[in-house]
Amino acid sequence: MKLWAGLFLLLSFVSGVLSASSTQDKFATYQSLSRSGPVDLDSASYEDLTSTPRDYYAAVILTATDPRFGCLLCRDFESEWDLIARSWTKGPKPDELKVVFGTLDFDNGKAVFQKLMLQTAPVILVFPPTIGPFAKVEGNPLRFDFTGPISADQVYSWIGRHLPEGPKPELVRPINYMRIVSVTTILMAVVTATTVLSPYLLPIVQNRNLWAAVSLIAILLFTSGQMFNHIRKVPYVAGDGKGGISYFAGGFQNQFGMETQIVAAIYAVLSFATIALALKVPRMEDVKGQQLAVLIWATVLFATYSFLLSVFKTKNGGYPFYLPPF
Amino acid sequence: MAPSSLDVVLKGSSGRNTRGLLRVIILCTIAAAAVSSRLFSVIRFESIIHEFDPWFNFRATKYLVENGFYSFWDWFDDRTWHPLGRVTGGTLYPGLMVTSGVIYHILRLLTIPVDIRNICVLLAPGFSGLTALAMYLLTSEMSDSPSAGLLAAAFMGITPGYISRSVAGSYDNEAIAIFLLVFTFYLWIKAVKNGSIMWGALTALFYGYMVSAWGGYVFITNLIPLHVFVLLCMGRYSTRVYISYTTWYALGTLGSMQIPFVGFLPIRNSDHMSALGVFGLIQLVAFAEFIRGYLPGKQFQKLLTSMVLLTFGLGFGGLVLLSVSGVIAPWSGRFYSLWDTGYAKIHIPIIASVSEHQPTAWPAFFFDLNFLIWLFPAGVFMCFQKLKDEHVFVVIYSVLASYFAGVMVRLMLTLTPIVCVAAALALSCILDNFLVASTPSTETKAKATTEDKSLRSARNPVVGIYSWFSKSVVVASVTLYLLMFVAHCTWVTSNAYSSPSVVLASKLPDGSQFIIDDYREAYYWLRQNTPDNAKIMSWWDYGYQIGGMADRPTLVDNNTWNNTHIATVGKAMSSREEVSYPILRQHDVDYVLVVFGGLLGYSGDDLNKFLWMVRIAEGIWPDEVKERDFFTARGEYRVDEEATPAMKNSLMYKMSYHNYQSLFPAGQAMDRVRGTRLPKESPQLNTLEEAFTSENWIVRLYKVKDLDNLGRDHSNAVAFDKGLKRKRATKRKGPRVLRTE
């Protein structure tokens, strides 16, 4: 009985050592391959990396960076993923905690994408170790789906949560010296330029017409819903389903980029007509000319307002008011 | 002698009196119009408090009236945020409640017995009349025209942008805050014009009142320093500005610090730092101006200027350093999200989840302001004509407020006053020119000296309008626009802003009105059928209403001060019963309330808000609640047969659809909000039992079961109960057999 147990122990020890040594090699090769950033994988090396037994964590991003696929998220996140891998390899961490970061591009790993039945990219998979001190019973990978633009910090903290307790390297963003230098240079250039050019700039800065124009443009932009476009990222125009373009979005809470520009233009015309009637016309000395100007501006005001009301009526179906022409 | 008798009334000092009297009558009429146009909801429904926040204010006012001011000040409320409680006296803006409390006591003193509820309901319309008056005063300061102030008052009285927050029954902070905002600005303009300590102190006084009434006081705190800063940059430093600003800042800051909720924020928070910075800057500038008189040489002058700039730079750097090191708190989340518009969505989902924090689409501007929206830029342009100190204020306010209103729907409220001012300036300019009866003679062409600085379009002297035809054309069209504005405002107020949202109204096919009163039905059920301290869990939207109408303790409410607690409720709602039940037990929950609109097609129900619950819960427990799990593989949010397992097993889903299928023939169950057919089987609830469902199924209440008597878990107990029944049934059906052994 004792003999059997001893033999069994010995056998298991030997097998453990053997397997450990083979996975040890695997980890070492991938680590050397990676240098400091993530390892570029293809289908074969992906299978090898994620095959059991493994004594390391494998974090792989499945992505499609080629411009053909139009995956903006993938390309945006590429540098962030690089940052994560770099921070991990450079930072201080416990020796026995081994993590390999890898990147599998769609071009190199179509088979893997098919096998996993992935419809979207990017996706991050984290494979826990199956042997060693941090081995998990179930070796199924953890999956991180992207729902929108995500920063490296969020992904890093997600990965960190699934690693065992203990100290982990901080995510370090490299200091952008280039940017500091360029900002300082630009700042100094601006200061110099203003001091040198002040005799020429001062009249422009103090020009009342300029400030009036700037404030009016700002007000027109804001009141025509430009911030809504900016925040919601609405499309500029959309098709109406019959091959044409629909300029105005249906519904009270929707709008298109072009629609807001049209509305801003309408407001501008109306305001300008008002200004003309209020300020310019009473200052005209010519009797006939004044009569004509009043007629023109009043008509413009009336017609444009009528158009604005008709546009508003299309947006808000139950609106009961309108003015004749439109 | 008819003309001469008229002359007596219209000319000289009695003419002035006549005009003054007319003015008073017009203003009174405007105030009456402002009040009466806000009474739609009272006439149509009843004198009832609206929506959500007003219910808390109402409850707090009742507490104040019953217990007196000092116990209100020290009020610790253990009936909300169970089990944490809330230091209510220290975390609210007491201005509104104190105002109605004072009115109540004055009326009692005059032996007019009036219910506190009616005061609360009618407070907002009452103050809107005062706002119109304040608007008249403010606009009269901006313009020489006699009509501008009256026009502005009329606009302010009925424009939907302001009515939206001040109909009868919407007993919210904004009800008095907009009056205070406009009046404070009027006093400020007065102070800057006169450079008098009295006006500055009055500004500070009303600023303090504003601070006690509404969190939006930060707008004033930043706008006035910005005004002063721009004036300094324009080289318009004067002792007037110095006196009024320093008086306002010193007294106003002290005043604002008396409110416990504000406390030391004015010196420790970035929102208030611009006021402090400008206070420092104006001291430096004043010092430099003072010294300049004694310094002869040009070198000294230069030295002085650079000294001022250097000190200001150092001070500014110091402020930045203090905020970075954390001595000065960073910008508060709500305020910061105005500048960085993507910030709230990522970091504070609870702010982003509120519908009034969404950006504004252009129809909303036109809806709320009608033709004022295109008079607005014209009026701002006219401010550049003279560009006195007060006009600078209008320009800054306009640009800033239109930006804010574009970012957040609710800030339309702060834009509305300045739109009324600017539009009134523009329209009064037109009316003043076109309503003059006398025709200018063609001979007199007095060339006035043209100012180089003024606007290009206003350099020539004003001549006047010659022909009657042009006058009548313009006046007729303007009258038409004004009439349409009145019609628009009435229509909007009546259709969009007069629903109490506690009581819903819909039209039956035959055109008659159908009142849906489910909320109150359910709240009164709670009030009458549950013990006084039964804890109710619901999503935070309904917390204030439960507190106000049902008078029962709640877990979370609309005062969203504790995100974790809200996330706990979100987690309980979005998890499986096995996970939720321990949470419910730990928080002593007796009843759970959900709002379900599927039967009636009421789209503001909990399943439509469900994703926010998930998101907020995910923010705290990212491993246990995942938004992704509630979307199908194709990224759809579904509730029907193909809903994800996480969705189907969530407590919210089960509570919403529990027994719903029994209303319909087998397999025909429809959800009318989401327009989908539901699974055949209704979900099985084990740990809760249905306690009450309102008439139209909008509010559903569930009682949390106690632990099982035999120590089984609930799913086993329910299965056992079911199984037992079935067995009994078969036994009964079976033929009776005599024992023949």
Side-chain angles (χ1 to χ4, degrees):
Chain A
M1 201 64 199
K2 254 189 178 172
L3 183 80
W4 278 115
L7 204 69
F8 182 71
L9 259 178
L10 192 75
L11 268 174
S12 61
F13 180 73
V14 168
S15 69
V17 165
L18 276 176
S19 64
S21 67
S22 70
T23 54
Q24 205 100 49
D25 294 345
K26 225 158 79 180
F27 178 71
T29 46
Y30 283 111
Q31 203 177 30
S32 64
L33 263 175
S34 77
R35 289 199 192 90
S36 59
V39 194
D40 285 323
L41 301 169
D42 54 26
S43 291
S45 56
Y46 171 85
E47 294 298 340
D48 182 43
L49 178 73
T50 60
S51 63
T52 50
R54 51 176 183 267
D55 66 339
Y56 51 84
Y57 280 91
V60 181
I61 186 168
L62 298 133
T63 181
T65 47
D66 199 277
R68 275 184 295 136
F69 305 116
C71 177
L72 210 65
L73 216 57
C74 306
R75 268 173 283 159
D76 285 347
F77 196 73
E78 202 180 357
S79 57
E80 300 283 280
W81 184 247
D82 209 47
L83 185 73
I84 292 175
R86 257 172 228 287
S87 307
W88 181 271
T89 34
K90 282 189 184 157
K93 55 191 174 286
D95 287 336
E96 61 271 28
L97 184 56
K98 300 175 200 163
V99 184
V100 178
F101 289 89
T103 306
L104 180 68
D105 206 288
F106 183 72
D107 286 336
N108 306 328
K110 287 199 182 69
V112 176
F113 273 76
Q114 272 159 17
K115 200 182 89 184
L116 294 170
M117 289 189 292
L118 287 180
Q119 304 282 339
T120 56
V123 169
I124 294 174
L125 296 175
V126 174
F127 296 84
T130 53
I131 53 172
F134 303 115
K136 289 266 168 67
V137 181
E138 38 184 325
N140 298 331
L142 301 153
R143 181 171 164 161
F144 184 89
D145 281 288
F146 283 68
T147 45
I150 275 174
S151 73
D153 305 72
Q154 283 161 297
V155 173
Y156 192 68
S157 71
W158 178 80
I159 293 176
R161 276 202 307 277
H162 294 293
L163 296 181
E165 299 282 320
K168 296 182 192 75
E170 294 276 314
L171 187 72
V172 190
R173 282 185 190 276
I175 300 167
N176 197 341
Y177 291 104
M178 197 58 208
R179 194 165 154 198
I180 292 174
V181 169
S182 58
V183 164
T184 340
T185 321
I186 288 171
L187 214 68
M188 283 159 78
V190 166
V191 169
T192 323
T194 38
T195 20
V196 173
L197 295 175
S198 61
Y200 310 99
L201 280 177
L202 222 53
I204 298 178
V205 171
Q206 289 176 341
N207 187 334
R208 209 180 268 189
N209 287 302
L210 186 78
W211 282 103
V214 169
S215 336
L216 286 204
I217 288 169
I219 288 173
L220 284 174
L221 280 182
F222 293 142
T223 52
S224 61
Q226 202 61 49
M227 289 314 292
F228 186 94
N229 296 351
H230 177 73
I231 294 169
R232 290 285 167 82
K233 309 207 166 32
V234 298
Y236 188 66
V237 279
D240 59 355
K242 287 176 243 157
I245 292 174
S246 73
Y247 292 101
F248 296 98
F252 200 66
Q253 294 295 330
N254 296 317
Q255 59 181 21
F256 294 139
M258 189 157 181
E259 179 182 348
T260 58
Q261 290 171 0
I262 294 173
V263 170
I266 291 175
Y267 287 168
V269 169
L270 286 166
S271 292
F272 192 73
T274 314
I275 291 167
L277 278 177
L279 294 182
K280 281 197 176 145
V281 166
R283 287 179 167 79
M284 290 173 81
E285 287 169 12
D286 178 20
V287 180
K288 280 271 165 58
Q290 191 190 51
Q291 173 103 47
L292 195 68
V294 167
L295 262 183
I296 289 173
W297 285 121
T299 318
V300 166
L301 198 66
F302 192 82
T304 321
Y305 190 32
S306 154
F307 180 63
L308 177 64
L309 281 175
S310 78
V311 168
F312 186 69
K313 211 171 152 65
T314 61
K315 300 285 288 187
N316 189 353
Y319 190 67
F321 305 113
Y322 63 94
L323 281 176
F326 291 100
Chain B
M1 292 289 278
S4 67
S5 68
L6 218 78
D7 276 355
V8 172
V9 187
L10 291 179
K11 282 183 180 158
S13 67
S14 68
R16 209 162 39 245
N17 291 340
T18 319
R19 279 197 288 274
L21 183 69
L22 262 179
R23 209 161 280 236
V24 171
I25 292 173
I26 292 172
L27 277 174
C28 288
T29 325
I30 288 172
V35 172
S36 54
S37 67
R38 284 162 169 81
L39 298 182
F40 275 109
S41 58
V42 172
I43 293 163
R44 243 180 241 163
F45 297 97
E46 60 192 287
S47 171
I48 186 185
I49 305 286
H50 289 192
E51 292 189 326
F52 304 106
D53 286 21
W55 276 102
F56 167 75
N57 298 331
F58 178 50
R59 181 162 160 257
T61 313
K62 277 203 288 191
Y63 186 89
L64 168 72
V65 169
E66 276 160 23
N67 298 303
F69 182 70
Y70 283 102
S71 70
F72 173 69
W73 208 246
D74 299 330
W75 185 18
F76 179 82
D77 190 359
D78 58 352
R79 293 179 74 77
T80 54
W81 294 92
H82 182 84
L84 308 167
R86 173 185 170 194
V87 193
T88 312
T91 55
L92 52 60
Y93 292 103
L96 182 74
M97 298 100 197
V98 172
T99 307
S100 28
V102 167
I103 294 175
Y104 175 75
H105 284 299
I106 289 177
L107 288 178
R108 291 288 287 249
L109 200 72
L110 299 170
T111 65
I112 301 172
V114 58
D115 187 14
I116 184 72
R117 193 197 69 218
N118 286 324
I119 293 176
C120 293
V121 167
L122 294 176
L123 191 78
F127 265 86
S128 72
L130 289 177
T131 313
L133 192 69
M135 199 52 161
Y136 167 77
L137 294 171
L138 178 65
T139 315
S140 299
E141 291 300 318
M142 303 292 170
S143 161
D144 307 325
S145 159
S147 62
L150 292 174
L151 275 172
F155 290 160
M156 193 64 192
I158 58 170
T159 182
Y162 176 38
I163 287 187
S164 64
R165 291 323 196 83
S166 62
V167 289
S170 89
Y171 179 56
D172 214 341
N173 290 335
E174 289 93 333
I176 62 170
I178 294 303
F179 161 68
L180 293 170
L181 185 88
V182 175
F183 200 66
T184 311
F185 284 147
Y186 159 68
L187 292 169
W188 166 249
I189 294 299
K190 204 78 182 157
V192 170
K193 268 185 160 181
N194 295 324
S196 96
I197 290 183
M198 184 192 80
W199 288 111
L202 278 176
T203 315
L205 187 71
F206 273 86
Y207 170 71
Y209 190 6
M210 172 80 183
V211 175
S212 78
W214 192 37
Y217 74 89
V218 182
F219 184 61
I220 305 183
T221 319
N222 286 293
L223 193 63
I224 289 180
L226 189 63
H227 181 211
V228 172
F229 185 71
V230 171
L231 287 180
L232 292 182
C233 288
M234 290 170 79
R236 290 202 183 182
Y237 170 81
S238 63
T239 45
R240 287 180 292 114
V241 174
Y242 178 78
I243 289 169
S244 43
Y245 186 75
T246 44
T247 317
W248 169 75
Y249 182 72
L251 292 178
T253 307
L254 284 178
S256 64
M257 286 163 83
Q258 305 309 312
I259 310 300
F261 191 30
V262 177
F264 280 91
L265 282 185
I267 51 168
R268 304 206 48 167
N269 191 303
S270 292
D271 303 359
H272 302 73
M273 278 308 126
S274 63
L276 183 63
V278 170
F279 184 69
L281 178 69
I282 204 166
Q283 307 301 334
L284 286 176
V285 174
F287 178 71
E289 287 287 323
F290 176 71
I291 296 287
R292 182 168 298 183
Y294 299 95
L295 286 179
K298 212 167 182 193
Q299 275 75 12
F300 277 113
Q301 305 267 0
K302 262 198 177 156
L303 192 70
L304 201 65
T305 319
S306 49
M307 278 283 288
V308 167
L309 282 178
L310 194 72
T311 323
F312 181 68
L314 280 179
F316 188 75
L319 278 183
V320 169
L321 207 70
L322 280 177
S323 2
V324 169
S325 64
V327 177
I328 296 172
W331 296 77
S332 60
R334 265 162 229 254
F335 201 56
Y336 186 75
S337 60
L338 281 179
W339 302 112
D340 186 356
T341 46
Y343 177 79
K345 196 155 190 200
I346 302 169
H347 299 280
I348 335 171
I350 201 149
I351 288 185
S353 76
V354 180
S355 65
E356 56 188 25
H357 292 163
Q358 307 304 322
T360 320
W362 77 264
F365 280 100
F366 188 78
F367 194 68
D368 276 356
L369 299 165
N370 193 245
F371 83 136
L372 305 182
I373 195 68
W374 53 263
L375 283 178
F376 174 44
V380 173
F381 183 78
M382 279 163 204
C383 285
F384 277 95
Q385 204 181 347
K386 283 183 190 154
L387 208 64
K388 289 191 203 156
D389 293 352
E390 61 266 26
H391 297 127
V392 175
F393 182 75
V394 174
V395 173
I396 298 168
Y397 187 172
S398 306
V399 175
L400 217 59
S402 37
Y403 171 75
F404 288 154
V407 176
M408 236 185 232
V409 171
R410 73 183 295 190
L411 292 178
M412 186 73 87
L413 201 60
T414 52
L415 174 69
T416 307
I418 201 63
V419 169
C420 291
V421 170
L425 290 180
L427 203 63
S428 70
C429 191
I430 289 188
L431 289 180
D432 287 351
N433 279 317
F434 285 85
L435 274 180
V436 181
S438 60
T439 317
S441 57
T442 30
E443 283 86 51
T444 50
K445 286 179 183 174
K447 276 271 174 191
T449 49
T450 49
E451 285 176 67
D452 237 6
K453 261 193 168 181
S454 74
L455 290 172
R456 190 171 293 164
S457 56
R459 270 181 200 156
N460 300 326
V462 176
V463 183
I465 306 298
Y466 294 104
S467 84
W468 276 95
F469 179 67
S470 12
K471 280 179 192 171
S472 51
V473 163
V474 171
V475 171
S477 55
V478 167
T479 315
L480 179 68
Y481 302 150
L482 282 170
L483 287 175
M484 280 191 73
F485 173 63
V486 174
H488 172 95
C489 292
T490 319
W491 183 80
V492 168
T493 312
S494 142
N495 281 289
Y497 292 140
S498 291
S499 154
S501 90
V502 175
V503 185
L504 310 165
S506 73
K507 284 256 161 50
L508 290 178
D510 61 352
S512 62
Q513 200 177 39
F514 176 59
I515 299 278
I516 300 158
D517 206 357
D518 281 41
Y519 282 107
R520 287 199 293 181
E521 189 190 346
Y523 294 142
Y524 278 92
W525 185 89
L526 273 179
R527 197 179 197 128
Q528 287 170 350
N529 295 290
T530 58
D532 188 45
N533 61 350
K535 280 85 186 169
I536 319 289
M537 184 178 94
S538 70
W539 190 233
W540 60 266
D541 294 22
Y542 311 104
Y544 278 166
Q545 289 188 343
I546 295 172
M549 284 191 255
D551 191 26
R552 292 290 172 270
T554 52
L555 259 69
V556 291
D557 63 28
N558 310 44
N559 176 267
T560 49
W561 66 277
N562 191 326
N563 191 29
T564 316
H565 214 52
I566 291 178
T568 310
V569 173
K571 185 183 170 191
M573 294 286 198
S574 52
S575 307
R576 290 174 296 122
E577 274 186 81
E578 294 79 36
V579 181
S580 305
Y581 187 67
I583 300 178
L584 299 181
R585 296 288 301 180
Q586 281 160 6
H587 290 81
D588 301 337
V589 177
D590 295 305
Y591 290 89
V592 184
L593 181 149
V594 286
V595 172
F596 172 66
L599 182 64
L600 214 61
Y602 172 60
S603 61
D605 70 348
D606 275 349
L607 270 179
N608 276 358
K609 295 172 188 167
F610 190 37
L611 278 181
W612 286 109
M613 304 183 199
V614 174
R615 256 170 232 160
I616 290 167
E618 188 181 10
I620 306 283
W621 291 280
D623 297 335
E624 296 172 61
V625 185
K626 289 184 192 109
E627 190 184 345
R628 188 73 192 78
D629 294 346
F630 291 84
F631 287 103
T632 57
R634 295 158 87 197
E636 292 166 317
Y637 180 69
R638 302 184 75 142
V639 293
D640 55 4
E641 199 69 68
E642 282 161 48
T644 60
M647 184 75 193
K648 276 186 172 168
N649 289 323
S650 67
L651 197 63
M652 173 56 74
Y653 182 89
K654 285 184 173 179
M655 286 194 294
S656 292
Y657 292 120
H658 179 66
N659 269 345
Y660 183 59
Q661 276 78 351
S662 65
L663 276 181
F664 297 86
Q668 301 281 310
M670 277 288 291
D671 183 324
R672 296 201 175 109
V673 175
R674 288 151 284 269
T676 48
R677 180 157 294 182
L678 294 169
K680 269 184 194 158
E681 290 284 308
S682 82
Q684 173 68 44
L685 264 176
N686 293 326
T687 55
L688 304 170
E689 58 190 350
E690 187 174 353
F692 179 76
T693 296
S694 63
E695 187 190 350
N696 300 302
W697 288 58
I698 287 187
V699 184
R700 309 199 67 186
L701 284 162
Y702 289 88
K703 186 169 170 45
V704 180
K705 282 186 191 166
D706 204 348
L707 290 175
D708 189 56
N709 273 339
L710 300 175
R712 302 166 294 184
D713 65 18
H714 284 100
S715 58
N716 282 340
V718 169
F720 184 71
D721 282 351
K722 276 195 167 175
L724 203 64
K725 270 178 197 159
R726 206 176 296 140
K727 266 179 198 163
R728 261 184 205 155
T730 51
K731 261 183 190 170
R732 252 181 228 149
K733 271 181 193 165
R736 294 194 171 194
V737 184
L738 275 172
R739 268 203 303 196
T740 50
E741 282 173 337

